[in-house]
Amino acid sequence: MTALAHTAGAGTHAGGPAPGQGRRRGGIAAYLLLLPGALWLVLFFLLPLIQLFAVSLQSGFPGYPGYYYRDVNAGNYLTAITQFAGHFGRSLLYAGLATFFAFVLAYPLAYAMAFKAGRWRNVMMIAVIAPFFTSFILRTIAWRQILADEGPVARVLNTLHLLPGGRITETWVAVVAGLTYNFLPFMVLPIYASLERADPKVIEAGGDLYANGFTTFRTVTLPVSLPGVIAGTLLTFIPAAGDYVNAELLGSDRSTKMVGNVIESQFFRVLGGFPVAAALSFTLMALILAMVFVYVRRFGTEELL
Amino acid sequence: MTGLSTATARPAPTPATGASRPPAGRGPSVPRRVRTWLTTHVAMITALTVLLYLFVPVAYTFAFSFNDYRKSNIVWNGAAGPTLKHWRDPCGAPGVCDALVVSLQVGAIATVVATVLGTMLAFALVRHRFPGRGVSNVLVFIPMATPEIVLGASLLTIFVQGFSRFGLRLGFWTIVIAHIMFCISFVVVTVKARLQSLDPRLEEAAQDLYAGPGGTFWRVTFPLVLPGIVSAALLAFSLSFDDFIITNFVSGDETTFPKFVYVSYLRGIPAQANVIGFSMFVIAVLLVVAGQLVGNARKR
């Protein structure tokens, strides 16, 4: 239960040395505890990343599609960036929009949980996490069905002439809606965790000092919850930018595909697509890391690591 | 947003009860009272609407587990009415239970290994100072900040181009390896948070009472950290059970439950998948509620 809250919140204070805790110096024990897990991460996270980088520079064997030789072929990156620039743009745009909408939906929910829910707090917490346990693929397909042309939402909107294109699925709106939906809990939990830790008296004092509610929110409540907001936006933006399931299930064949879709199809459906797919993956990772770095610098939480 | 901010103006110290700040003197006028009610409750109303939104596809999944469809479970068959036949025979669709079993096995193994390795890591990182600690922290953090598709792609390349030399083929065990990898970081973060929130005085007290290091650990530290470890394990299992993107890259011909659903969606997923998906939801909620009740009972 508290697991997710901890996880989500922990990003904000993990690693900061908690004062006054009994600590031991080095010794063999530390390395024995560290070794198995660290080894696993080196073998199955770090090494694969290095391999992926190596693959991104490989060239295909002429005449033997699907076979590669070691090379320093930066052309793969050129292909990745020039040919799929639109996909990169869409990935970042959709992920940004989804992060924004998730924030708008999550903040009131987290706020109500922290300050208004009273003894219903735990029930609401369970309610936020519970949908997680129905497979996210099942839920995304459910959305596909609900938003489909013959589905209830599209028909009502069409009857009211509120749907300019006549349909919801196969549009970017559906993709962004799906991304927003899927990653919403990742936004709620860290914001809730930081609001819950806040002293209600601080916010109350803000209310006494500034008569205006919006000023209180902007100058007191929001800053208090900022670590949670940052953690939440990262936890939403990163997976959303790399996602391809929503674009695949809710989007159209051409105009709404994201980088994830290209990477997936280059790996699985394009013979000899490995190097370009690897270059795409690496570019995506670099883009996201760069944006995260700038973002964290801008809002200054070095405690994040 | 404006509604939210007006609500912010009055953080009622005793929440959930509406009446805040009884106006002095005369009783308030009716519109004033309506406004007060709205401003105190607007956050809650918005919150409940958002919660409702979270549950829409779950409700859909539940409803369509009763659909007596002919070809594909996409359109509701109003002529036949709801049926219980899929609930009576949850393994009725070919392959669905095989996929479920694979998912449960992968989840169980990945949870146990990741929880053990991650808990050890958390202890090392919180309780010890050693050269390389900073690097280890980063090594634990970065996998969580890496998009799943990059994790999946990198694992695929090394499984196909590197580890295949050692006879490792894509399938059950490559899924297990991948799931352990991405679960470890989440376990570390969860257990670490619990460890950091422990009162060091409890352990000092144990040592003052002449408990040896082993006794202090198993009698005091471990029981105190256990709730964190249990939450971490639950989190690891749910992450593993629900994972699709990484699994899709490293699974070869093996099919997990999410992969089964994804592969069969074009033909329309069988209603048995709805039955299983919704049952997992019910089981998980019951587990969480039971955990809460046990926790509350202990506190008293």
Side-chain angles (χ1 to χ4, degrees), chain A residues 1 3 21 23-24 26 31 51 58 115 122 135-136 145 181 244 248, chain B residues 15-16 54 57 60 126-127 129 131 161 195 231 242 248 262 292:
Chain A
M1 201 34 236
Q21 220 155 345
R23 288 178 192 286
R24 279 148 236 164
Y31 288 107
Q51 174 71 14
Q58 287 175 351
F115 297 123
N122 281 347
S135 161
F136 98 96
Q145 247 70 283
Y181 174 82
Y244 68 90
E248 187 71 42
Chain B
L54 278 173
Y60 176 93
V126 174
R127 287 304 169 84
R129 286 283 170 280
Q161 294 195 351
L195 258 176
S231 327
D242 202 23
N248 193 35
Y262 186 79
Q292 288 266 308

PDB file of all heavy atoms in Angstrom, chain A residues 1 3 21 23-24 26 31 51 58 115 122 135-136 145 181 244 248, chain B residues 15-16 54 57 60 126-127 129 131 161 195 231 242 248 262 292:
ATOM      1  N   MET A   1       0.812  -1.198   0.000  1.00  0.00           N
ATOM      2  CA  MET A   1       0.000   0.000   0.000  1.00  0.00           C
ATOM      3  C   MET A   1       0.847   1.249   0.000  1.00  0.00           C
ATOM      4  O   MET A   1       0.887   2.034  -0.927  1.00  0.00           O
ATOM      5  CB  MET A   1      -0.819  -0.078   1.285  1.00  0.00           C
ATOM      6  CG  MET A   1      -2.058   0.735   1.297  1.00  0.00           C
ATOM      7  SD  MET A   1      -2.829   0.850  -0.241  1.00  0.00           S
ATOM      8  CE  MET A   1      -2.845   2.556  -0.343  1.00  0.00           C
ATOM      9  N   ALA A   3       3.742   1.186  -0.345  1.00  0.00           N
ATOM     10  CA  ALA A   3       4.861   0.929  -1.250  1.00  0.00           C
ATOM     11  C   ALA A   3       4.951   1.981  -2.338  1.00  0.00           C
ATOM     12  O   ALA A   3       5.978   2.614  -2.506  1.00  0.00           O
ATOM     13  CB  ALA A   3       4.697  -0.440  -1.892  1.00  0.00           C
ATOM     14  N   GLN A  21      21.917   8.866  11.843  1.00  0.00           N
ATOM     15  CA  GLN A  21      21.672   7.450  11.753  1.00  0.00           C
ATOM     16  C   GLN A  21      22.987   6.700  11.935  1.00  0.00           C
ATOM     17  O   GLN A  21      24.018   7.131  11.437  1.00  0.00           O
ATOM     18  CB  GLN A  21      21.075   7.102  10.405  1.00  0.00           C
ATOM     19  CG  GLN A  21      20.004   6.064  10.548  1.00  0.00           C
ATOM     20  CD  GLN A  21      19.030   6.149   9.388  1.00  0.00           C
ATOM     21  OE1 GLN A  21      19.000   7.116   8.658  1.00  0.00           O
ATOM     22  NE2 GLN A  21      18.254   5.145   9.195  1.00  0.00           N
ATOM     23  N   ARG A  23      25.921   4.646  11.327  1.00  0.00           N
ATOM     24  CA  ARG A  23      26.514   4.198  10.080  1.00  0.00           C
ATOM     25  C   ARG A  23      27.802   3.471  10.357  1.00  0.00           C
ATOM     26  O   ARG A  23      28.547   3.812  11.249  1.00  0.00           O
ATOM     27  CB  ARG A  23      26.845   5.389   9.191  1.00  0.00           C
ATOM     28  CG  ARG A  23      25.619   5.968   8.647  1.00  0.00           C
ATOM     29  CD  ARG A  23      25.909   7.155   7.822  1.00  0.00           C
ATOM     30  NE  ARG A  23      24.645   7.811   7.581  1.00  0.00           N
ATOM     31  CZ  ARG A  23      23.739   7.346   6.756  1.00  0.00           C
ATOM     32  NH1 ARG A  23      23.982   6.264   6.062  1.00  0.00           N
ATOM     33  NH2 ARG A  23      22.602   7.970   6.599  1.00  0.00           N
ATOM     34  N   ARG A  24      28.021   2.464   9.530  1.00  0.00           N
ATOM     35  CA  ARG A  24      29.284   1.759   9.645  1.00  0.00           C
ATOM     36  C   ARG A  24      30.171   2.152   8.508  1.00  0.00           C
ATOM     37  O   ARG A  24      29.699   2.542   7.459  1.00  0.00           O
ATOM     38  CB  ARG A  24      29.022   0.250   9.603  1.00  0.00           C
ATOM     39  CG  ARG A  24      28.585  -0.268  10.948  1.00  0.00           C
ATOM     40  CD  ARG A  24      27.640  -1.428  10.772  1.00  0.00           C
ATOM     41  NE  ARG A  24      26.375  -1.146  11.473  1.00  0.00           N
ATOM     42  CZ  ARG A  24      25.260  -1.820  11.239  1.00  0.00           C
ATOM     43  NH1 ARG A  24      25.222  -2.752  10.322  1.00  0.00           N
ATOM     44  NH2 ARG A  24      24.178  -1.534  11.904  1.00  0.00           N
ATOM     45  N   GLY A  26      32.747   1.253   5.587  1.00  0.00           N
ATOM     46  CA  GLY A  26      33.085   0.251   4.583  1.00  0.00           C
ATOM     47  C   GLY A  26      33.124  -1.189   5.027  1.00  0.00           C
ATOM     48  O   GLY A  26      32.153  -1.746   5.483  1.00  0.00           O
ATOM     49  N   TYR A  31      30.364  -4.529   0.769  1.00  0.00           N
ATOM     50  CA  TYR A  31      30.537  -5.010  -0.604  1.00  0.00           C
ATOM     51  C   TYR A  31      29.824  -6.337  -0.828  1.00  0.00           C
ATOM     52  O   TYR A  31      29.324  -6.604  -1.927  1.00  0.00           O
ATOM     53  CB  TYR A  31      32.020  -5.120  -0.934  1.00  0.00           C
ATOM     54  CG  TYR A  31      32.662  -3.760  -1.090  1.00  0.00           C
ATOM     55  CD1 TYR A  31      33.511  -3.262  -0.119  1.00  0.00           C
ATOM     56  CD2 TYR A  31      32.365  -2.956  -2.193  1.00  0.00           C
ATOM     57  CE1 TYR A  31      34.069  -2.002  -0.238  1.00  0.00           C
ATOM     58  CE2 TYR A  31      32.908  -1.693  -2.318  1.00  0.00           C
ATOM     59  CZ  TYR A  31      33.759  -1.216  -1.344  1.00  0.00           C
ATOM     60  OH  TYR A  31      34.295   0.029  -1.467  1.00  0.00           O
ATOM     61  N   GLN A  51      26.168  -2.546 -25.366  1.00  0.00           N
ATOM     62  CA  GLN A  51      25.946  -3.338 -26.575  1.00  0.00           C
ATOM     63  C   GLN A  51      25.012  -2.599 -27.540  1.00  0.00           C
ATOM     64  O   GLN A  51      25.243  -2.577 -28.749  1.00  0.00           O
ATOM     65  CB  GLN A  51      25.356  -4.700 -26.190  1.00  0.00           C
ATOM     66  CG  GLN A  51      24.935  -5.563 -27.362  1.00  0.00           C
ATOM     67  CD  GLN A  51      26.139  -6.106 -28.126  1.00  0.00           C
ATOM     68  OE1 GLN A  51      27.272  -6.055 -27.640  1.00  0.00           O
ATOM     69  NE2 GLN A  51      25.906  -6.606 -29.325  1.00  0.00           N
ATOM     70  N   GLN A  58      26.836  -0.299 -35.948  1.00  0.00           N
ATOM     71  CA  GLN A  58      27.113  -1.402 -36.871  1.00  0.00           C
ATOM     72  C   GLN A  58      26.575  -1.102 -38.273  1.00  0.00           C
ATOM     73  O   GLN A  58      25.722  -0.250 -38.458  1.00  0.00           O
ATOM     74  CB  GLN A  58      26.464  -2.690 -36.350  1.00  0.00           C
ATOM     75  CG  GLN A  58      27.176  -3.289 -35.159  1.00  0.00           C
ATOM     76  CD  GLN A  58      26.439  -4.496 -34.600  1.00  0.00           C
ATOM     77  OE1 GLN A  58      25.319  -4.782 -34.986  1.00  0.00           O
ATOM     78  NE2 GLN A  58      27.080  -5.199 -33.682  1.00  0.00           N
ATOM     79  N   PHE A 115      -5.529  16.720   2.274  1.00  0.00           N
ATOM     80  CA  PHE A 115      -6.092  17.685   3.213  1.00  0.00           C
ATOM     81  C   PHE A 115      -7.591  17.550   3.461  1.00  0.00           C
ATOM     82  O   PHE A 115      -8.110  18.135   4.401  1.00  0.00           O
ATOM     83  CB  PHE A 115      -5.808  19.106   2.724  1.00  0.00           C
ATOM     84  CG  PHE A 115      -4.341  19.411   2.662  1.00  0.00           C
ATOM     85  CD1 PHE A 115      -3.762  19.822   1.479  1.00  0.00           C
ATOM     86  CD2 PHE A 115      -3.536  19.267   3.782  1.00  0.00           C
ATOM     87  CE1 PHE A 115      -2.407  20.094   1.423  1.00  0.00           C
ATOM     88  CE2 PHE A 115      -2.191  19.536   3.739  1.00  0.00           C
ATOM     89  CZ  PHE A 115      -1.623  19.946   2.558  1.00  0.00           C
ATOM     90  N   ASN A 122      -7.078   6.520   3.146  1.00  0.00           N
ATOM     91  CA  ASN A 122      -6.558   5.215   2.707  1.00  0.00           C
ATOM     92  C   ASN A 122      -7.414   4.595   1.621  1.00  0.00           C
ATOM     93  O   ASN A 122      -6.906   3.946   0.711  1.00  0.00           O
ATOM     94  CB  ASN A 122      -6.464   4.260   3.895  1.00  0.00           C
ATOM     95  CG  ASN A 122      -5.241   4.550   4.730  1.00  0.00           C
ATOM     96  OD1 ASN A 122      -4.351   5.289   4.290  1.00  0.00           O
ATOM     97  ND2 ASN A 122      -5.192   4.005   5.929  1.00  0.00           N
ATOM     98  N   SER A 135      -4.534  -5.398 -16.018  1.00  0.00           N
ATOM     99  CA  SER A 135      -3.432  -5.203 -16.956  1.00  0.00           C
ATOM    100  C   SER A 135      -3.602  -3.928 -17.778  1.00  0.00           C
ATOM    101  O   SER A 135      -4.693  -3.620 -18.250  1.00  0.00           O
ATOM    102  CB  SER A 135      -3.372  -6.416 -17.876  1.00  0.00           C
ATOM    103  OG  SER A 135      -2.641  -6.105 -19.023  1.00  0.00           O
ATOM    104  N   PHE A 136      -2.511  -3.164 -17.933  1.00  0.00           N
ATOM    105  CA  PHE A 136      -2.661  -1.876 -18.608  1.00  0.00           C
ATOM    106  C   PHE A 136      -2.982  -2.060 -20.091  1.00  0.00           C
ATOM    107  O   PHE A 136      -3.641  -1.222 -20.691  1.00  0.00           O
ATOM    108  CB  PHE A 136      -1.438  -0.975 -18.358  1.00  0.00           C
ATOM    109  CG  PHE A 136      -0.397  -0.940 -19.435  1.00  0.00           C
ATOM    110  CD1 PHE A 136      -0.414   0.068 -20.392  1.00  0.00           C
ATOM    111  CD2 PHE A 136       0.600  -1.889 -19.486  1.00  0.00           C
ATOM    112  CE1 PHE A 136       0.561   0.117 -21.379  1.00  0.00           C
ATOM    113  CE2 PHE A 136       1.568  -1.844 -20.461  1.00  0.00           C
ATOM    114  CZ  PHE A 136       1.551  -0.849 -21.416  1.00  0.00           C
ATOM    115  N   GLN A 145     -12.078   0.559 -27.252  1.00  0.00           N
ATOM    116  CA  GLN A 145     -13.470   0.167 -27.509  1.00  0.00           C
ATOM    117  C   GLN A 145     -14.444   1.285 -27.113  1.00  0.00           C
ATOM    118  O   GLN A 145     -15.410   1.567 -27.818  1.00  0.00           O
ATOM    119  CB  GLN A 145     -13.788  -1.099 -26.693  1.00  0.00           C
ATOM    120  CG  GLN A 145     -14.033  -2.334 -27.529  1.00  0.00           C
ATOM    121  CD  GLN A 145     -12.792  -2.850 -28.209  1.00  0.00           C
ATOM    122  OE1 GLN A 145     -12.375  -2.289 -29.210  1.00  0.00           O
ATOM    123  NE2 GLN A 145     -12.200  -3.905 -27.665  1.00  0.00           N
ATOM    124  N   TYR A 181      -4.092   8.936 -19.215  1.00  0.00           N
ATOM    125  CA  TYR A 181      -4.755   7.972 -18.350  1.00  0.00           C
ATOM    126  C   TYR A 181      -3.759   6.991 -17.739  1.00  0.00           C
ATOM    127  O   TYR A 181      -3.753   6.753 -16.539  1.00  0.00           O
ATOM    128  CB  TYR A 181      -5.828   7.203 -19.129  1.00  0.00           C
ATOM    129  CG  TYR A 181      -6.425   6.112 -18.289  1.00  0.00           C
ATOM    130  CD1 TYR A 181      -7.434   6.395 -17.378  1.00  0.00           C
ATOM    131  CD2 TYR A 181      -5.946   4.813 -18.353  1.00  0.00           C
ATOM    132  CE1 TYR A 181      -7.956   5.420 -16.563  1.00  0.00           C
ATOM    133  CE2 TYR A 181      -6.454   3.822 -17.530  1.00  0.00           C
ATOM    134  CZ  TYR A 181      -7.461   4.133 -16.646  1.00  0.00           C
ATOM    135  OH  TYR A 181      -7.957   3.176 -15.830  1.00  0.00           O
ATOM    136  N   TYR A 244       4.833   3.012 -26.844  1.00  0.00           N
ATOM    137  CA  TYR A 244       4.292   2.818 -28.187  1.00  0.00           C
ATOM    138  C   TYR A 244       2.941   2.111 -28.174  1.00  0.00           C
ATOM    139  O   TYR A 244       2.272   2.029 -29.202  1.00  0.00           O
ATOM    140  CB  TYR A 244       5.273   2.060 -29.093  1.00  0.00           C
ATOM    141  CG  TYR A 244       5.524   0.616 -28.729  1.00  0.00           C
ATOM    142  CD1 TYR A 244       4.733  -0.397 -29.252  1.00  0.00           C
ATOM    143  CD2 TYR A 244       6.563   0.279 -27.902  1.00  0.00           C
ATOM    144  CE1 TYR A 244       4.978  -1.722 -28.939  1.00  0.00           C
ATOM    145  CE2 TYR A 244       6.818  -1.040 -27.584  1.00  0.00           C
ATOM    146  CZ  TYR A 244       6.025  -2.040 -28.100  1.00  0.00           C
ATOM    147  OH  TYR A 244       6.272  -3.347 -27.784  1.00  0.00           O
ATOM    148  N   GLU A 248      -0.123   2.682 -30.744  1.00  0.00           N
ATOM    149  CA  GLU A 248      -0.470   1.508 -31.546  1.00  0.00           C
ATOM    150  C   GLU A 248      -1.962   1.191 -31.434  1.00  0.00           C
ATOM    151  O   GLU A 248      -2.622   0.921 -32.431  1.00  0.00           O
ATOM    152  CB  GLU A 248       0.354   0.308 -31.060  1.00  0.00           C
ATOM    153  CG  GLU A 248       0.236  -0.940 -31.900  1.00  0.00           C
ATOM    154  CD  GLU A 248       0.920  -0.789 -33.240  1.00  0.00           C
ATOM    155  OE1 GLU A 248       2.036  -0.225 -33.247  1.00  0.00           O
ATOM    156  OE2 GLU A 248       0.357  -1.225 -34.255  1.00  0.00           O
TER     157      GLU A 248
ATOM    158  N   PRO B  15     -10.727  17.876   8.323  1.00  0.00           N
ATOM    159  CA  PRO B  15     -11.235  17.750   6.961  1.00  0.00           C
ATOM    160  C   PRO B  15     -12.491  16.890   6.907  1.00  0.00           C
ATOM    161  O   PRO B  15     -12.913  16.329   7.903  1.00  0.00           O
ATOM    162  CB  PRO B  15     -10.099  17.084   6.219  1.00  0.00           C
ATOM    163  CG  PRO B  15      -9.035  16.792   7.236  1.00  0.00           C
ATOM    164  CD  PRO B  15      -9.587  17.044   8.587  1.00  0.00           C
ATOM    165  N   ALA B  16     -13.033  16.825   5.727  1.00  0.00           N
ATOM    166  CA  ALA B  16     -14.166  15.963   5.386  1.00  0.00           C
ATOM    167  C   ALA B  16     -15.475  16.448   5.984  1.00  0.00           C
ATOM    168  O   ALA B  16     -16.531  16.054   5.535  1.00  0.00           O
ATOM    169  CB  ALA B  16     -13.943  14.522   5.802  1.00  0.00           C
ATOM    170  N   LEU B  54     -10.477   7.059 -13.558  1.00  0.00           N
ATOM    171  CA  LEU B  54      -9.510   5.970 -13.470  1.00  0.00           C
ATOM    172  C   LEU B  54     -10.184   4.606 -13.574  1.00  0.00           C
ATOM    173  O   LEU B  54      -9.587   3.640 -14.039  1.00  0.00           O
ATOM    174  CB  LEU B  54      -8.741   6.054 -12.142  1.00  0.00           C
ATOM    175  CG  LEU B  54      -7.570   7.025 -12.082  1.00  0.00           C
ATOM    176  CD1 LEU B  54      -7.033   7.122 -10.662  1.00  0.00           C
ATOM    177  CD2 LEU B  54      -6.470   6.579 -13.027  1.00  0.00           C
ATOM    178  N   PRO B  57     -12.219   2.182 -17.547  1.00  0.00           N
ATOM    179  CA  PRO B  57     -11.884   0.975 -18.304  1.00  0.00           C
ATOM    180  C   PRO B  57     -11.957  -0.307 -17.484  1.00  0.00           C
ATOM    181  O   PRO B  57     -12.203  -1.381 -18.042  1.00  0.00           O
ATOM    182  CB  PRO B  57     -10.450   1.222 -18.779  1.00  0.00           C
ATOM    183  CG  PRO B  57      -9.962   2.392 -18.059  1.00  0.00           C
ATOM    184  CD  PRO B  57     -11.092   3.102 -17.426  1.00  0.00           C
ATOM    185  N   TYR B  60     -15.462  -1.247 -17.747  1.00  0.00           N
ATOM    186  CA  TYR B  60     -15.702  -1.786 -19.080  1.00  0.00           C
ATOM    187  C   TYR B  60     -15.237  -3.241 -19.161  1.00  0.00           C
ATOM    188  O   TYR B  60     -15.964  -4.123 -19.656  1.00  0.00           O
ATOM    189  CB  TYR B  60     -14.974  -0.939 -20.126  1.00  0.00           C
ATOM    190  CG  TYR B  60     -15.083  -1.488 -21.521  1.00  0.00           C
ATOM    191  CD1 TYR B  60     -16.083  -1.060 -22.376  1.00  0.00           C
ATOM    192  CD2 TYR B  60     -14.186  -2.461 -21.977  1.00  0.00           C
ATOM    193  CE1 TYR B  60     -16.199  -1.576 -23.641  1.00  0.00           C
ATOM    194  CE2 TYR B  60     -14.292  -2.985 -23.243  1.00  0.00           C
ATOM    195  CZ  TYR B  60     -15.295  -2.535 -24.081  1.00  0.00           C
ATOM    196  OH  TYR B  60     -15.407  -3.062 -25.345  1.00  0.00           O
ATOM    197  N   VAL B 126      22.307   2.415   2.622  1.00  0.00           N
ATOM    198  CA  VAL B 126      21.878   3.273   3.725  1.00  0.00           C
ATOM    199  C   VAL B 126      22.798   3.129   4.933  1.00  0.00           C
ATOM    200  O   VAL B 126      23.122   4.093   5.611  1.00  0.00           O
ATOM    201  CB  VAL B 126      20.425   2.947   4.130  1.00  0.00           C
ATOM    202  CG1 VAL B 126      20.026   3.740   5.369  1.00  0.00           C
ATOM    203  CG2 VAL B 126      19.486   3.284   2.989  1.00  0.00           C
ATOM    204  N   ARG B 127      23.251   1.905   5.193  1.00  0.00           N
ATOM    205  CA  ARG B 127      23.934   1.645   6.441  1.00  0.00           C
ATOM    206  C   ARG B 127      25.448   1.686   6.355  1.00  0.00           C
ATOM    207  O   ARG B 127      26.140   1.536   7.343  1.00  0.00           O
ATOM    208  CB  ARG B 127      23.505   0.266   6.977  1.00  0.00           C
ATOM    209  CG  ARG B 127      22.113   0.275   7.527  1.00  0.00           C
ATOM    210  CD  ARG B 127      22.021   1.347   8.598  1.00  0.00           C
ATOM    211  NE  ARG B 127      20.674   1.612   9.028  1.00  0.00           N
ATOM    212  CZ  ARG B 127      20.029   0.894   9.950  1.00  0.00           C
ATOM    213  NH1 ARG B 127      20.608  -0.136  10.483  1.00  0.00           N
ATOM    214  NH2 ARG B 127      18.814   1.225  10.311  1.00  0.00           N
ATOM    215  N   ARG B 129      29.159   3.323   4.584  1.00  0.00           N
ATOM    216  CA  ARG B 129      29.878   4.320   3.793  1.00  0.00           C
ATOM    217  C   ARG B 129      31.052   3.601   3.154  1.00  0.00           C
ATOM    218  O   ARG B 129      31.834   2.988   3.848  1.00  0.00           O
ATOM    219  CB  ARG B 129      30.405   5.433   4.690  1.00  0.00           C
ATOM    220  CG  ARG B 129      29.349   6.365   5.178  1.00  0.00           C
ATOM    221  CD  ARG B 129      28.952   7.320   4.068  1.00  0.00           C
ATOM    222  NE  ARG B 129      27.758   8.091   4.410  1.00  0.00           N
ATOM    223  CZ  ARG B 129      26.532   7.602   4.315  1.00  0.00           C
ATOM    224  NH1 ARG B 129      26.346   6.372   3.900  1.00  0.00           N
ATOM    225  NH2 ARG B 129      25.494   8.341   4.633  1.00  0.00           N
ATOM    226  N   PRO B 131      33.777   3.474  -0.612  1.00  0.00           N
ATOM    227  CA  PRO B 131      34.093   4.045  -1.920  1.00  0.00           C
ATOM    228  C   PRO B 131      33.218   3.382  -2.982  1.00  0.00           C
ATOM    229  O   PRO B 131      33.044   2.155  -2.960  1.00  0.00           O
ATOM    230  CB  PRO B 131      35.566   3.682  -2.135  1.00  0.00           C
ATOM    231  CG  PRO B 131      36.086   3.244  -0.806  1.00  0.00           C
ATOM    232  CD  PRO B 131      34.928   2.790   0.006  1.00  0.00           C
ATOM    233  N   GLN B 161      22.956 -10.895 -29.734  1.00  0.00           N
ATOM    234  CA  GLN B 161      24.311 -10.802 -30.282  1.00  0.00           C
ATOM    235  C   GLN B 161      25.401 -11.199 -29.293  1.00  0.00           C
ATOM    236  O   GLN B 161      26.537 -11.409 -29.703  1.00  0.00           O
ATOM    237  CB  GLN B 161      24.571  -9.369 -30.765  1.00  0.00           C
ATOM    238  CG  GLN B 161      23.711  -8.987 -31.942  1.00  0.00           C
ATOM    239  CD  GLN B 161      24.217  -7.740 -32.639  1.00  0.00           C
ATOM    240  OE1 GLN B 161      25.105  -7.065 -32.144  1.00  0.00           O
ATOM    241  NE2 GLN B 161      23.658  -7.439 -33.800  1.00  0.00           N
ATOM    242  N   LEU B 195      14.098   2.195   5.608  1.00  0.00           N
ATOM    243  CA  LEU B 195      15.308   2.156   6.430  1.00  0.00           C
ATOM    244  C   LEU B 195      15.664   3.545   6.935  1.00  0.00           C
ATOM    245  O   LEU B 195      16.054   3.723   8.090  1.00  0.00           O
ATOM    246  CB  LEU B 195      16.472   1.628   5.598  1.00  0.00           C
ATOM    247  CG  LEU B 195      16.906   0.180   5.800  1.00  0.00           C
ATOM    248  CD1 LEU B 195      17.994  -0.175   4.833  1.00  0.00           C
ATOM    249  CD2 LEU B 195      17.365  -0.029   7.233  1.00  0.00           C
ATOM    250  N   SER B 231       6.078  -4.399   1.096  1.00  0.00           N
ATOM    251  CA  SER B 231       5.558  -3.482   0.066  1.00  0.00           C
ATOM    252  C   SER B 231       6.399  -3.573  -1.187  1.00  0.00           C
ATOM    253  O   SER B 231       5.881  -3.553  -2.303  1.00  0.00           O
ATOM    254  CB  SER B 231       5.561  -2.035   0.528  1.00  0.00           C
ATOM    255  OG  SER B 231       5.330  -1.927   1.866  1.00  0.00           O
ATOM    256  N   ASP B 242       2.506  -6.926 -14.846  1.00  0.00           N
ATOM    257  CA  ASP B 242       1.865  -6.026 -15.798  1.00  0.00           C
ATOM    258  C   ASP B 242       2.782  -5.618 -16.943  1.00  0.00           C
ATOM    259  O   ASP B 242       2.351  -4.946 -17.872  1.00  0.00           O
ATOM    260  CB  ASP B 242       1.361  -4.777 -15.065  1.00  0.00           C
ATOM    261  CG  ASP B 242       0.249  -4.064 -15.833  1.00  0.00           C
ATOM    262  OD1 ASP B 242      -0.403  -4.737 -16.650  1.00  0.00           O
ATOM    263  OD2 ASP B 242       0.051  -2.866 -15.643  1.00  0.00           O
ATOM    264  N   ASN B 248       7.934  -7.904 -24.319  1.00  0.00           N
ATOM    265  CA  ASN B 248       7.739  -8.116 -25.750  1.00  0.00           C
ATOM    266  C   ASN B 248       9.072  -8.214 -26.491  1.00  0.00           C
ATOM    267  O   ASN B 248       9.207  -8.976 -27.451  1.00  0.00           O
ATOM    268  CB  ASN B 248       6.893  -6.970 -26.310  1.00  0.00           C
ATOM    269  CG  ASN B 248       6.375  -7.262 -27.686  1.00  0.00           C
ATOM    270  OD1 ASN B 248       6.063  -8.415 -28.000  1.00  0.00           O
ATOM    271  ND2 ASN B 248       6.296  -6.235 -28.525  1.00  0.00           N
ATOM    272  N   TYR B 262      -2.270  -8.477 -25.883  1.00  0.00           N
ATOM    273  CA  TYR B 262      -1.852  -7.568 -26.952  1.00  0.00           C
ATOM    274  C   TYR B 262      -1.920  -8.247 -28.319  1.00  0.00           C
ATOM    275  O   TYR B 262      -2.398  -7.668 -29.292  1.00  0.00           O
ATOM    276  CB  TYR B 262      -0.430  -7.083 -26.669  1.00  0.00           C
ATOM    277  CG  TYR B 262       0.055  -6.031 -27.626  1.00  0.00           C
ATOM    278  CD1 TYR B 262      -0.339  -4.711 -27.478  1.00  0.00           C
ATOM    279  CD2 TYR B 262       0.915  -6.355 -28.671  1.00  0.00           C
ATOM    280  CE1 TYR B 262       0.104  -3.734 -28.343  1.00  0.00           C
ATOM    281  CE2 TYR B 262       1.361  -5.384 -29.544  1.00  0.00           C
ATOM    282  CZ  TYR B 262       0.953  -4.070 -29.381  1.00  0.00           C
ATOM    283  OH  TYR B 262       1.387  -3.102 -30.238  1.00  0.00           O
ATOM    284  N   GLN B 292      -3.903  -3.485   5.039  1.00  0.00           N
ATOM    285  CA  GLN B 292      -4.241  -2.280   5.800  1.00  0.00           C
ATOM    286  C   GLN B 292      -4.870  -2.644   7.149  1.00  0.00           C
ATOM    287  O   GLN B 292      -4.514  -2.074   8.180  1.00  0.00           O
ATOM    288  CB  GLN B 292      -5.244  -1.440   5.010  1.00  0.00           C
ATOM    289  CG  GLN B 292      -4.629  -0.762   3.815  1.00  0.00           C
ATOM    290  CD  GLN B 292      -4.174   0.636   4.161  1.00  0.00           C
ATOM    291  OE1 GLN B 292      -4.925   1.424   4.690  1.00  0.00           O
ATOM    292  NE2 GLN B 292      -2.925   0.927   3.886  1.00  0.00           N
TER     293      GLN B 292
END
